[in-house]
Amino acid sequence: MMSTGQVGIAPPLGRGSPALEISGLRKAFGDNVAVDDVDLTVYQGSFFGLVGPNGAGKTTALSMAVGLLRPDSGSSRIFGVDVWAEPVRAKALMGVLPDGLAMPERLTGRELLTFLGALRGMDRDTVAHRTGELLNVMELTGAERTLVIDYSTGMRKKIGLATALLHGPRLLVLDEPFEAVDPVSAATLKGILKRFVASGGSVVLSSHVMALVEQLCDTVAVMDGGKVVAAGTLEEVRGGRSLEETFVSLVGAPAGRKEGLSWLAS
Amino acid sequence: MVGVLRPMIRMKLAIMRHSTGGTRGTLMATGAALGLLLAAGTIWLATLRPDHPAALGDVLAVAFALWTLGWVLGPLSGGGAPVLRVGHFALLPISRLRLAIGLLGASLVAVTTAITLLAFAGLVVYAARLGLGPAVVALPAVLLQLSFVILLSRVAVGVFGEIAKSRLGGVLAGVMQGAMMVVAQSGWMVIVALDQFQILKTGFPPEVSAVLRTLPSSWGLVAVDAASRSDWPLAAGALAGLALVVVFLLMAWSRLLRLSRTARVVIRGSGGGATEGRTSTRPFLPSGGTAAVVLKELRAWWRDPARWSLFCVAPAWALITSLLPLAFGETALLPWAAPAAALMAAALYVNAWGHDGTALWLTLLTPGAERRDVRGRQLAWLAVFTPTTVLMAALLVPLSGQGWTWPWVLALLPALLGGGAGLAAWVGVTQLVPGPDPHRNRDNPLEGGESTAAQGLLVFFAGLLPVVPAAAVVRAGTLQGNDLLLWGGMPISVVTGALCAWLLGRFAYRHLEAHEPEMLHMMLSGGIVQAATEEAEPSVLDTMSRRRQAALFVGVWLGSIALFPQGLVPLGIKLSGGDDPVWFLALYLPPSGSGRQSPPWS
């Protein structure tokens, strides 16, 4: 069964309370309503995929959910803590990877993680230990002396993911985590995320790569034009078809797909 | 060539249409009004009738040189990045020379160009007074001169952008910027010279006059003067020379348009696994998160060429300003270089958060990081500039032979440093100017970003206030001959400075805590106000930009007083033979030769 709009998702069997609960989020930039009254619930231990075409409002919705962008209305709760009412408590509970934002650019990967650990008030030895492990897993040890500003796009994604994992959060919110990451690294990252979910963690990721979402996620929401047009378990949403076919039928194939560009074929 | 020009000009107009609005529009309008006044002033200079016939040409030559300098300095100090950038056209199959010509043509369509053209029309006015022949010569001269300043400005940005990629280049760029600021502010020094050398009656000394005329910005004048003497070969030669310089600059620019000509200097960070478990804190730093921010900031000061450049500007500016009068055997300014450097260093550090771009998200998502971020940056700035300015004072006060200034210098420095650390943080947070993210801009450190001149002026003038209590005590001590009061200024200054840094820093992180999402959004959207948002209900952003507008108005207003009336008007008063100094600081300066033994206020 496919639920649409503001209908919540029933907690799957054996799942706990919500890790992330978004209700009625709305954001308009001038006349353009980027996110229009979005409700989503991500249960503990679930791997949640948010898909949608470019400009659907995925990044805006996730930014509001984690506290990076102030919503016009609506609320977001992390393990029951309101992000906008109790930001300090809420922020301690999650790890976030935004898409394409800057970082302290004149630090190496190790220095960056050490800096963030100290900024979070973490124990020095724990930070050093985790930093070493994270750099190893992300295969960034080869670039030990390279400053973040000289990182490639894929390396930036990986160090960004490491910053999200450093404090051991129980909820990860990742915006396009696999974009520009090479297949080998992507396989490593997928492994890390799967193990994280298997151990009871929750992951929300946005993507427009359907195959990837199908492969990783157990729960899916489809956004289009700032609204959630479908949400539910992967099986519910795709209903026997592939996710891509479902997605195209939900979002609508662009008009004029067959016409145009005739000069390119001649 | 028209083929390249038309689409480029249209593209530029379209971009300008979309980005003119809100603060940017206000700033542009204010700047345009100021520019128009300066242009009118230049034309007015051309109508003067000084006692000495050659003096007018010399004065105009100085004016044109200053306009040229303005064109070079403007883009380097972070303002007025070109609307059309080379990167926009990198993939188009057109030659670099055609691209350069297209970009030059497009840059003619600009408010700044129109204003400069108006100013250069002063040459036509001047020539018309000399006769028809000179006037005819003046027309092509003005156009060539305009092309010259635009191209020189572009080439300067290109060259500085190339060298500023390394730390040594950053230092060089910083010192150059400091030096150019000195020249730009030295309008009043010309007045002193006018007064001293009786220039209006005698003209400039022949050597000065000759040197002035070797500058390409004066070659139009040379051609006009030659035409008035019917020295047609020289007139033609000067014009041809100017044309040659223009062509040369065009070629140079088209070469610079090749993207990333030289490899960026890669700066390495601290190494490897051996450092695992190494402590991230240093014993002399405060504990925990604040120390981590201090360390991060110090690493940025050490590793980022742009920070090296930023570090050098203020000391270079203060040193050159105070050393220049040595040419007249005057040492009065030397002791004040250190306090001046501290003040200017704060005024240049006004956009710390803007320069880091969207990296703000990390502070935003780390619980309780705002206070540590602000305090860490303040402490790092103090750690960089306290030793620098103390060293300057320790060297320059003895060098000046004016030991009586010690109580003053010691009473000024702590309050200026502390006040600067507080003000720069507070203005940096509340008057954020969004710039491009460092990693998107890494090959062209000088390009992009709006001007922070208004914020800088605000900090510069407001930064003088924390000095008042300590200065009042030292003054009382001087008047009463009371040593306790005389030297009591320093501890008072330390307390004032610490209080300002603490209090304003507190305001800053409180503001940060309350407005971080809006600041981040502003940096993501580049601060461009879209026409569509104007009818929308007022958001916090609108409030912010109104505040910024207010700050801009105050800053531009103060700046225009400092630069225009205090610089050019006294020149006019002197030239027209007036003696009344009114409120122009420069005209109150004692005639040189009467070396001051004691400060004028004691």
Side-chain angles (χ1 to χ4, degrees):
Chain A
M1 187 215 87
M2 193 186 296
S3 62
T4 57
Q6 292 141 38
V7 184
I9 308 158
L13 248 81
R15 293 276 161 78
S17 50
L20 171 66
E21 207 177 1
I22 294 172
S23 65
L25 274 190
R26 185 190 151 88
K27 185 75 190 180
F29 300 109
D31 294 336
N32 172 33
V33 181
V35 170
D36 193 2
D37 206 8
V38 162
D39 298 87
L40 286 173
T41 307
V42 178
Y43 289 97
Q44 283 183 41
S46 94
F47 206 135
F48 191 101
L50 184 59
V51 297
N54 297 326
K58 304 187 293 290
T59 297
T60 309
L62 290 185
S63 298
M64 289 191 287
V66 300
L68 284 175
L69 178 69
R70 202 183 301 276
D72 294 343
S73 60
S75 70
S76 170
R77 290 168 177 279
I78 314 284
F79 297 103
V81 181
D82 192 307
V83 170
W84 292 97
E86 292 180 273
V88 174
R89 268 187 68 205
K91 284 168 191 173
L93 298 171
M94 62 182 162
V96 179
L97 171 67
D99 186 22
L101 298 191
M103 273 180 265
E105 307 280 343
R106 306 283 164 177
L107 299 180
T108 66
R110 184 181 300 275
E111 288 164 355
L112 175 61
L113 294 177
T114 310
F115 160 68
L116 286 171
L119 198 60
R120 283 187 177 270
M122 291 166 63
D123 166 45
R124 191 182 298 166
D125 294 334
T126 313
V127 172
H129 179 71
R130 288 187 185 176
T131 296
E133 269 194 323
L134 283 167
L135 290 177
N136 257 329
V137 169
M138 302 291 173
E139 289 142 353
L140 289 170
T141 40
E144 188 69 60
R145 293 191 63 208
T146 307
L147 302 186
V148 172
I149 194 165
D150 294 317
Y151 274 21
S152 68
T153 316
M155 288 164 83
R156 291 183 77 91
K157 281 280 180 213
K158 291 200 267 182
I159 196 69
L161 192 59
T163 67
L165 294 170
L166 181 67
H167 53 289
R170 298 317 294 154
L171 169 69
L172 285 176
V173 181
L174 315 171
D175 195 2
E176 303 281 1
F178 293 101
E179 211 166 61
V181 176
D182 65 82
V184 179
S185 304
T188 314
L189 297 190
K190 283 178 206 167
I192 298 171
L193 295 179
K194 278 179 179 166
R195 264 182 286 143
F196 176 74
V197 172
S199 69
S202 319
V203 175
V204 182
L205 65 78
S206 77
S207 180
H208 42 237
V209 182
M210 296 302 143
L212 187 129
V213 172
E214 243 170 344
Q215 189 188 344
L216 287 177
C217 301
D218 51 43
T219 322
V220 176
V222 183
M223 276 189 83
D224 185 36
K227 289 178 187 292
V228 175
V229 292
T233 64
L234 181 64
E235 291 314 321
E236 285 170 347
V237 170
R238 64 181 175 184
R241 291 184 290 179
S242 79
L243 186 59
E244 181 157 349
E245 283 171 323
T246 313
F247 178 77
V248 170
S249 75
L250 277 169
V251 170
R257 173 177 279 196
K258 296 228 172 78
E259 306 90 53
L261 301 194
S262 55
W263 46 271
L264 201 58
S266 66
Chain B
M1 287 309 160
V2 181
V4 196
L5 270 180
R6 274 194 53 185
M8 279 196 169
I9 291 174
R10 283 182 152 186
M11 176 176 170
K12 173 165 185 173
L13 287 175
I15 294 178
M16 283 166 72
R17 237 190 345 267
H18 289 301
S19 51
T20 307
T23 318
R24 214 176 208 176
T26 320
L27 184 63
M28 265 181 71
T30 319
L34 183 63
L36 277 176
L37 276 173
L38 286 170
T42 311
I43 294 182
W44 172 71
L45 282 180
T47 65
L48 291 176
R49 293 178 189 283
D51 303 336
H52 189 274
L56 185 53
D58 290 341
V59 167
L60 274 181
V62 170
F64 291 150
L66 286 175
W67 277 95
T68 309
L69 190 73
W71 270 86
V72 175
L73 190 61
L76 289 188
S77 51
V83 177
L84 296 189
R85 295 181 188 182
V86 193
H88 294 158
F89 311 99
L91 293 178
L92 290 183
I94 51 176
S95 75
R96 290 195 305 276
L97 186 61
R98 282 189 69 194
L99 180 60
I101 291 172
L103 287 172
L104 175 66
S107 61
L108 289 174
V109 186
V111 180
T112 42
T113 317
I115 289 171
T116 311
L117 182 65
L118 191 65
F120 287 176
L123 184 62
V124 181
V125 174
Y126 170 75
R129 291 170 61 188
L130 298 174
L132 183 63
V136 171
V137 170
L139 291 176
V142 165
L143 290 182
L144 284 173
Q145 207 170 313
L146 188 65
S147 313
F148 165 71
V149 292
I150 294 170
L151 282 168
L152 188 69
S153 160
R154 296 288 189 269
V155 170
V157 170
V159 169
F160 273 94
E162 286 291 327
I163 63 171
K165 288 175 187 173
S166 73
R167 283 180 280 193
L168 186 64
V171 170
L172 210 65
V175 172
M176 283 295 287
Q177 198 187 324
M180 284 187 281
M181 283 161 65
V182 172
V183 180
Q185 84 198 347
S186 298
W188 65 272
M189 287 200 181
V190 177
I191 319 292
V192 178
L194 285 180
D195 195 42
Q196 188 169 4
F197 298 117
Q198 298 290 303
I199 273 144
L200 294 174
K201 297 199 176 73
T202 63
F204 278 87
E207 317 86 61
V208 177
S209 192
V211 169
L212 262 179
R213 270 150 225 272
T214 60
L215 300 175
S217 60
S218 311
W219 290 357
L221 264 173
V222 171
V224 167
D225 280 342
S228 76
R229 299 190 304 269
S230 300
D231 185 351
W232 300 109
L234 180 59
L239 284 185
L242 192 53
L244 211 64
V245 171
V246 166
V247 170
F248 171 76
L249 286 173
L250 190 64
M251 307 289 279
W253 189 34
S254 74
R255 286 187 69 86
L256 284 168
L257 291 186
R258 219 188 302 177
L259 279 175
S260 290
R261 278 190 69 219
T262 53
R264 192 161 37 89
V265 180
V266 173
I267 294 157
R268 307 301 248 170
S270 67
T275 60
E276 202 167 317
R278 196 185 64 172
T279 59
S280 67
T281 46
R282 301 284 160 88
F284 60 89
L285 293 175
S287 60
T290 311
V293 177
V294 172
L295 188 61
K296 177 207 83 170
E297 280 293 300
L298 288 179
R299 279 177 166 149
W301 280 103
W302 177 248
R303 292 172 183 170
D304 186 351
R307 294 280 185 114
W308 278 87
S309 179
L310 188 62
F311 168 70
C312 288
V313 178
W317 165 80
L319 273 177
I320 300 170
T321 303
S322 62
L323 289 175
L324 262 189
L326 282 182
F328 306 96
E330 179 65 79
T331 57
L333 288 181
L334 274 184
W336 313 109
L343 184 60
M344 185 56 90
L348 292 168
Y349 189 59
V350 279
N351 203 23
W353 279 268
H355 284 307
D356 283 354
T358 51
L360 185 66
W361 75 271
L362 276 170
T363 315
L364 179 44
L365 286 187
T366 307
E370 290 85 0
R371 188 184 60 80
R372 294 163 178 172
D373 190 27
V374 170
R375 293 302 188 210
R377 284 173 196 263
Q378 284 185 303
L379 286 171
W381 182 84
L382 284 171
V384 168
F385 284 102
T386 307
T388 312
T389 49
V390 167
L391 187 70
M392 283 176 74
L395 289 176
L396 294 174
V397 174
L399 190 71
S400 74
Q402 298 176 79
W404 63 265
T405 56
W406 267 124
W408 285 96
V409 172
L410 291 178
L412 293 178
L413 255 187
L416 286 172
L417 285 168
L423 275 166
W426 182 61
V427 171
V429 169
T430 54
Q431 316 286 332
L432 180 81
V433 179
D437 270 357
H439 66 288
R440 302 195 189 285
N441 207 34
R442 57 186 182 184
D443 284 323
N444 211 340
L446 288 178
E447 207 169 80
E450 288 181 60
S451 173
T452 55
Q455 283 81 357
L457 282 165
L458 188 70
V459 169
F460 190 86
F461 289 106
L464 288 168
L465 297 178
V467 158
V468 173
V473 170
V474 179
R475 170 120 172 85
T478 314
L479 287 178
Q480 298 171 17
N482 182 334
D483 274 358
L484 191 68
L485 286 176
L486 194 62
W487 295 98
M490 187 191 171
I492 290 178
S493 179
V494 171
V495 171
T496 323
L499 203 68
C500 284
W502 176 77
L503 198 65
L504 288 167
R506 193 180 164 84
F507 289 157
Y509 71 72
R510 286 281 162 83
H511 186 94
L512 200 56
E513 284 164 357
H515 299 286
E516 254 174 324
E518 284 71 24
M519 288 168 67
L520 181 65
H521 179 66
M522 190 176 181
M523 285 197 272
L524 274 170
S525 62
I528 291 174
V529 182
Q530 291 170 349
T533 59
E534 274 165 22
E535 284 88 28
E537 56 180 314
S539 69
V540 185
L541 253 185
D542 292 334
T543 328
M544 270 182 77
S545 69
R546 236 180 270 125
R547 271 204 209 158
R548 273 185 60 195
Q549 277 184 23
L552 283 171
F553 273 126
V554 171
V556 169
W557 181 71
L558 285 175
S560 22
I561 291 177
L563 294 178
F564 175 66
Q566 290 291 350
L568 282 190
V569 173
L571 189 68
I573 291 179
K574 274 291 172 190
L575 288 174
S576 50
D579 282 330
D580 188 1
V582 206
W583 65 298
F584 300 108
L585 298 175
L587 299 185
Y588 281 97
L589 280 177
S592 74
S594 62
R596 258 175 282 147
Q597 301 306 316
S598 59
W601 52 77
S602 64

